């Protein structure tokens, strides 16, 4: 299976990738229009509100008049984002000057929502029908437990404290690009992207999984636009409140089951009714990644002698630390280990970079050391980078040696040809020898053949 590049992308990147027809269908829902608005960068929000009650195109020049010189890049980012989402359309007048105008459907539904408000398709269930609902703290613990169970299963199903209840077909969707398997006789192994994924922030991991879930919706017979619409609508529900599953379509019920496996919602069954309870992971879906990333309680202390102490009871934390450190022993609430040259070489060979390891240590620094500058000792970070550079000091590359040229003119022409193609690795003008990349071997042979004619 080909590896994928792990990118922390905003939910709105998925919305922007939808075809124009599906985007226009989304904007029939006023709640989605508001979700789009609140996900935008601050400057883009300002432009939407400025144009909300203007029904004629506005020239690009007039919008640029209020932009300071050092803010032009932010202006361009805001305009590009609005056009990508089809919130704004770009046209050109007779003088070929750019003109901007809000999409009529988006503009009308957002106006209506701001003036008259809106009613969700479902309201929270009354407390006399539901059994005891979990507290916000219990709901948060549930979300963390479900997410850690998924990640443990990703590392190794044998390491998971309990078998995951995620279906095998859904696990294949979530693991796509993170695991590889040569054949059915061998267990799946983490890819380079999979190792990098495990060191990412929880919110960035969530965006990756949701992106894969949406991308593969069509294979499961689910329209990606309908899925995105439901996820955006879900972000307007109240964390901790119960919502009747009878108000959902069959497809939406299936989606909530998948989301509960990941900890985005919790499902409960009463005597007669069943309901789902959104967690913070679900209600924050329409907010940008930068806004949802908050400082979490760290647990790692690194000493100048490379000793590592992790104050955690989480089995997941222990398994992640094993990716780049030597874990020596584990107490009920403490993991003790060390960062060694051998443990780091293993991490580097698996595709984890020095900067990813350092970033993980900094983001998860224990409160006692988190306020220090730096939170991870400089000699440790410097040594991690040095060990990585030592490993990358020699690079293997297929190449071909050419010598015994008939004349210096042919030799120099061959050097120029290889240099022009970016394939010249080494030349010895005295003995007329060159080494070129194997990538241009065919072109080089043809060039030398023509020289003989």
């Amino acid at each position: 299976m080909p590896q994928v590049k792990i990118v922390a992308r905003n939910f709105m990147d998925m919305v922007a990738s939808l075809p124009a027809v599906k985007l226009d269908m989304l904007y029939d829902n006023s709640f989605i229009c508001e979700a789009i608005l609140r996900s935008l960068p601050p400057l883009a929000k300002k432009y939407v509100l400025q144009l909300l009650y203007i029904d004629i195109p506005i020239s690009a020049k007039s919008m640029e008049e209020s932009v300071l010189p050092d803010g032009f890049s932010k202006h361009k980012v805001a305009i590009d984002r609005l056009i990508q989402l089809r919130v704004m359309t770009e046209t050109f007048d007779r003088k070929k000057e750019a003109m901007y105008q809000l999409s009529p459907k988006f503009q009308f539904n957002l106006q209506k929502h701001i003036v008259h408000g809106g009613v969700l398709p479902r309201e929270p269930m009354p407390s006399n029908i539901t059994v005891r609902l979990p507290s916000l703290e219990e709901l948060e613990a549930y979300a963390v437990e479900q997410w850690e169970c998924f990640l443990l299963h990703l590392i190794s199903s044998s390491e998971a404290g309990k078998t995951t209840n995620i279906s095998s077909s859904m696990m294949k969707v979530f693991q796509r690009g993170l695991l590889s398997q040569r054949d059915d006789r061998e267990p799946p192994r983490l890819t380079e992207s999979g190792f990098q994924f495990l060191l990412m922030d929880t919110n960035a991991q969530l965006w990756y999984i949701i992106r894969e879930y949406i991308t593969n919706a069509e294979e499961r017979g689910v329209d990606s636009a309908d899925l995105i619409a439901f996820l955006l609508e879900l972000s307007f529900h109240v964390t901790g409140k119960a919502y009747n599953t009878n108000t959902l379509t069959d497809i939406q019920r299936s989606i909530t089951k998948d989301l509960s496996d990941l900890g985005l919602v919790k499902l409960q069954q009463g005597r007669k009714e069943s309901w789902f309870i959104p967690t913070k992971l679900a209600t924050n879906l329409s907010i940008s990644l930068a806004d949802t990333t908050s400082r979490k309680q760290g647990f790692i202390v690194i000493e100048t002698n490379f000793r590592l102490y992790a104050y955690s009871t989480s089995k997941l934390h222990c398994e992640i630390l094993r990716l780049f450190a030597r874990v020596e022993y584990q107490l009920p609430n403490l993991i003790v280990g060390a960062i060694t040259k051998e443990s780091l070489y293993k991490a580097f060979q698996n595709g984890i970079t020095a900067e990813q390891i350092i970033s993980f240590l900094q983001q998860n620094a224990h409160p006692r050391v988190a306020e220090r500058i730096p939170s991870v000792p400089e000699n440790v970070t410097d040594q991690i980078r040095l060990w990585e550079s030592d490993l990358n000091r020699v690079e293997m590359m297929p190449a071909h040696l050419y010598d015994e040229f008939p004349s210096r003119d042919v030799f120099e022409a061959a050097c120029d040809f290889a240099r022009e193609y970016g394939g010249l690795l080494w030349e010895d003008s005295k003995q007329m020898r060159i080494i070129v990349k194997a990538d241009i071997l065919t072109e080089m042979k043809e060039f030398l053949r023509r020289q003989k004619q």
Side-chain angles (χ1 to χ4, degrees), residues 74-341:
K74 290 183 179 180
H75 166 79
K76 189 176 185 307
V77 168
I79 294 296
D80 289 345
R81 192 58 161 170
L82 293 173
I83 292 174
Q84 286 172 1
L85 290 166
R86 290 182 62 80
V87 169
M88 177 187 286
T89 57
E90 183 181 31
T91 57
F92 295 90
D93 61 11
R94 294 179 180 177
K95 298 180 181 179
K96 295 185 179 181
E97 292 185 0
M99 307 288 289
Y100 299 128
Q101 186 174 12
L102 289 185
S103 167
K105 185 179 290 187
F106 179 90
Q107 185 179 24
F108 173 77
N109 285 314
L110 185 59
Q111 285 177 357
K112 185 174 66 173
H113 188 72
I114 289 176
V115 174
H116 302 291
V119 179
L120 283 169
R122 62 196 64 86
E123 293 293 327
M125 297 178 68
S127 56
N128 61 335
I129 296 179
T130 59
V131 295
R132 190 186 77 84
L133 297 179
S135 65
L136 292 179
E137 291 76 15
E138 291 171 335
L139 199 61
E140 180 72 15
Y142 160 82
V144 170
E145 180 185 3
Q146 289 294 105
W147 188 252
E148 290 196 356
C149 181
F150 164 68
L151 292 182
L152 275 172
H153 188 85
L154 188 65
I155 295 173
S156 171
S157 57
S158 62
E159 295 291 343
K162 60 179 182 179
T163 56
T164 180
N165 54 3
I166 302 178
S167 67
S168 59
S169 61
M170 286 311 304
M171 280 304 297
K172 288 181 180 179
V173 170
F174 296 144
Q175 295 169 347
R176 189 164 298 180
L178 303 179
L179 293 181
S180 65
Q181 189 173 14
R182 293 183 179 178
D183 52 58
D184 295 336
R185 291 172 296 178
E186 291 186 5
R189 296 172 58 86
L190 281 166
T191 64
E192 179 177 321
S193 298
F195 282 106
Q196 294 173 4
F197 173 83
L198 291 171
L199 292 188
M200 288 165 60
D201 179 82
T202 299
N203 286 310
Q205 291 174 337
L206 176 63
W207 289 122
Y208 173 80
I209 293 300
I210 291 295
R211 187 176 79 238
E212 288 298 301
Y213 186 55
I214 294 172
T215 302
N216 295 280
E218 305 287 349
E219 296 179 11
R220 306 189 305 276
V222 178
D223 187 270
S224 57
D226 292 340
L227 174 56
I228 288 175
F230 179 65
L231 291 172
L232 286 174
E233 182 188 297
L234 192 63
S235 68
F236 285 90
H237 291 61
V238 180
T239 303
K241 295 291 185 180
Y243 295 88
N244 199 325
T245 54
N246 290 333
T247 61
L248 304 174
T249 65
D250 290 341
I251 291 177
Q252 289 173 343
R253 287 194 190 95
S254 175
I255 293 171
T256 54
K257 171 63 173 64
D258 295 334
L259 297 182
S260 70
D261 293 337
L262 295 174
L264 274 73
V265 298
K266 182 177 176 63
L267 299 178
Q268 283 190 335
Q269 176 68 51
R271 291 181 179 179
K272 296 181 179 179
E273 306 281 358
S274 60
W275 52 86
F276 66 93
I277 308 166
T279 69
K280 283 184 179 180
L281 293 178
T283 54
N284 282 339
L285 277 177
S286 67
I287 305 175
S288 69
L289 179 63
D291 292 337
T292 57
T293 305
S294 56
R295 179 73 186 178
K296 60 183 178 180
Q297 184 81 2
F299 61 97
I300 298 175
V301 175
I302 297 287
E303 294 184 340
T304 54
N305 60 359
F306 294 83
R307 299 290 294 170
L308 181 150
Y309 301 92
Y311 295 86
S312 173
T313 59
S314 169
K315 185 170 183 132
L316 175 64
H317 288 162
C318 183
E319 294 305 317
I320 289 178
L321 291 173
R322 289 185 195 276
L323 297 178
F324 61 86
R326 184 185 69 210
V327 175
E328 297 174 353
Y329 55 90
Q330 184 176 7
L331 301 176
N333 63 344
L334 177 65
I335 303 166
V336 180
I339 293 178
T340 66
K341 185 176 183 179

